[in-house]
Amino acid sequence: MSSYASELARPPRTLTVAEQKALLKVSGEHARGYRDHVMFSVALGTGLRCHEIAALNVGDVFHADGTPRRRVLLKVYKRSAKRPARQEVIIPDSLFAKLAKFYKYKQRRAESLEPEAPLFLSQRSARIALRSLRHVFARWQERAHFERRLGFHTLRHTAASAVYHRHKDPLLVQRFARHTSLRT
């Protein structure tokens, strides 16, 4: 069997339920971890990729009145396409209240709530960078006392695995993950 075939046979790495709880607990309880807690919750609830989370704008996730949207429309550039493809992501009920609270958090901090403003800001009040997102995830893994180090994409794998375990429907997982092929 080729190494590529053995890669396909191995399931993707995911966070255990205990690791998910520990990550969300430690980031949610820390005063400076709230933004990160919401980012991780978004990743676990929607299966968004790291770059998709970093690219989110306030208007992508919230209506003008500050209520969270039930559906987020992403603009995804595939391969050499000149125009973005539209993909839809559903906001689960479990994330809805957390996002509403995050909007108020941004208001209290006087962060821009304009539709084109970044949803997640860096410490310098700019759009969070991918490198920072990955670094933040590594730091919270240490604080949550993970026994292993995982990449940010593991949150996406965990979200997709949770959908499969809940529904046992590979086609639903394919749609959730926004993959064109079931083999992916």
Side-chain angles (χ1 to χ4, degrees), residues 39 42-43 48-56 120 128 133 152:
M39 285 189 306
V42 167
L48 287 172
R49 297 169 178 92
C50 184
H51 69 274
E52 293 168 338
I53 290 172
L56 286 174
F120 297 112
I128 193 161
L133 234 166
F152 194 92

Side-chain angles (χ1 to χ4, degrees), residues 1-12 181-184:
M1 181 170 6
S2 73
S3 64
Y4 178 72
S6 64
E7 287 282 326
L8 291 177
R10 185 178 40 191
S181 168
L182 185 59
R183 292 174 65 187
T184 308

